[in-house]
């Protein structure tokens, strides 16, 4: 079945450090891939998405490239800020028509000033 | 755009009470909405898929008589936790999907339910 594997956290970085959060997936067909961010006590906010191979999603300095050959969708940011501290979720939608998501376990990021 | 409003954001009630949570898509029509439950420091667990004008589809292990879902319009879905007990205490999050196969789900801010 479909699955999403996300690197375990927590990830602790200093401000202005480079961020990578790994996400790999298993899916049949052609899934759409998403990154969401969750701040404490809130719902999830869409960070970026990619709907086909080689697509690059980007938003607020974050980016991720849909790599079909490595079944990956790693999240990167060149210079993190304290305000980026949150939990990040990778998700796929398998396009089966149900539109359900398969979520990764989430990666907690803590950025220190 | 693509704002989902969830209400209430926090509710505390006595055991045995029924609690209704509303999920509204404010600026788009959502034929499909989803209800999730999230335990502390864990990922989201899908409870059910709600389709406008039809019965909800529940995930395995979710009691449909316990968690009543109604999706009466293209912008509103409700989750009612019936006869709530302390073990139902959790963070409940809804999402709504815009029309179009590749459109993402947009999430509400969640409802923290505490049953005393």
């Amino acid at each position: 079945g479909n699955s999403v594997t996300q690197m375990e956290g927590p990830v602790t970085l200093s401000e202005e450090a480079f961020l990578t959060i790994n996400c790999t997936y298993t899916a049949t067909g052609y899934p759409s891939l998403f990154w969401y961010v969750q701040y404490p006590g809130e719902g999830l906010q869409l960070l970026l998405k990619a709907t086909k191979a080689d697509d690059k999603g980007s938003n607020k300095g974050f980016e991720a490239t849909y790599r079909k050959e490595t079944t990956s969708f790693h999240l990167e940011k060149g210079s993190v800020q304290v305000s980026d501290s949150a939990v990040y979720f990778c998700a796929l939608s398998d396009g089966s028509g149900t539109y359900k998501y398969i979520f990764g376990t989430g990666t907690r990021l803590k950025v220190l000033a | 755009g693509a704002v989902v409003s969830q209400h209430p954001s926090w509710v505390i009630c006595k055991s045995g009470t029924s609690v209704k949570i509303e999920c509204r898509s404010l600026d788009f029509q959502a034929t499909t909405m989803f209800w999730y439950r999230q335990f502390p420091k864990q990922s989201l667990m899908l409870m059910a898929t709600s389709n406008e004008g039809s019965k909800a589809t529940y995930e395995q292990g979710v009691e449909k008589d316990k968690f009543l879902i109604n999706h009466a319009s293209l912008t509103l879905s409700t989750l009612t936790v019936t006869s709530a007990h302390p073990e139902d205490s959790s963070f409940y999050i809804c999402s709504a999907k815009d029309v179009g196969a590749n459109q993402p789900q947009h999430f509400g801010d969640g409802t923290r339910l505490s049953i005393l």
Side-chain angles (χ1 to χ4, degrees), chain A residues 30 32 34 36 38 41-46 49 51 89 93 95 98-101 103-106 108, chain B residues 32 34 36 38 41-44 46 49 59 91 93 97 100-110:
Chain A
Y30 304 94
S32 294
F34 308 89
Y36 283 85
Q38 185 178 33
E42 298 183 10
L44 275 65
Q45 298 177 26
L46 177 66
K49 69 173 184 175
T51 58
F89 290 95
S93 177
T98 66
Y99 306 121
K100 292 197 288 189
Y101 277 359
F103 278 100
T105 52
R108 185 174 301 276
Chain B
T32 306
F34 301 88
Y36 296 86
Q38 186 178 34
K41 297 188 178 182
Q42 294 190 24
S43 189
L44 281 71
L46 179 65
T49 303
E59 295 299 301
F91 192 56
I93 307 176
K97 185 191 171 308
N102 293 323
Q103 292 300 314
Q105 293 181 26
H106 300 283
F107 288 79
D109 281 339

Side-chain angles (χ1 to χ4, degrees), chain A residues 36-62:
Chain A
Y36 283 85
V37 58
Q38 185 178 33
Y39 297 98
E42 298 183 10
L44 275 65
Q45 298 177 26
L46 177 66
L47 189 56
L48 52 84
K49 69 173 184 175
T51 58
K52 62 183 187 297
D54 300 325
D55 266 2
K56 177 187 281 189
S58 61
N59 185 27
K60 300 180 182 179
F62 291 90

Side-chain angles (χ1 to χ4, degrees), chain A residues 8-51:
Chain A
E8 288 196 26
V11 173
T12 303
L13 296 172
S14 298
E15 205 165 26
E16 299 183 4
F18 185 88
L19 169 71
T20 300
I21 299 178
N22 290 338
C23 172
T24 57
Y25 68 90
T26 303
T28 55
Y30 304 94
S32 294
L33 301 171
F34 308 89
W35 276 102
Y36 283 85
V37 58
Q38 185 178 33
Y39 297 98
E42 298 183 10
L44 275 65
Q45 298 177 26
L46 177 66
L47 189 56
L48 52 84
K49 69 173 184 175
T51 58

Side-chain angles (χ1 to χ4, degrees), chain A residues 40-106:
Chain A
E42 298 183 10
L44 275 65
Q45 298 177 26
L46 177 66
L47 189 56
L48 52 84
K49 69 173 184 175
T51 58
K52 62 183 187 297
D54 300 325
D55 266 2
K56 177 187 281 189
S58 61
N59 185 27
K60 300 180 182 179
F62 291 90
E63 58 182 37
T65 301
Y66 188 143
R67 302 276 189 209
K68 192 168 174 62
E69 64 276 13
T70 54
T71 62
S72 65
F73 193 54
H74 304 322
L75 182 68
E76 296 182 336
K77 186 175 185 183
S79 176
V80 293
Q81 305 300 312
V82 173
S83 57
D84 294 326
S85 299
V87 179
Y88 292 81
F89 290 95
C90 183
L92 75 78
S93 177
D94 65 9
S96 66
T98 66
Y99 306 121
K100 292 197 288 189
Y101 277 359
I102 305 296
F103 278 100
T105 52

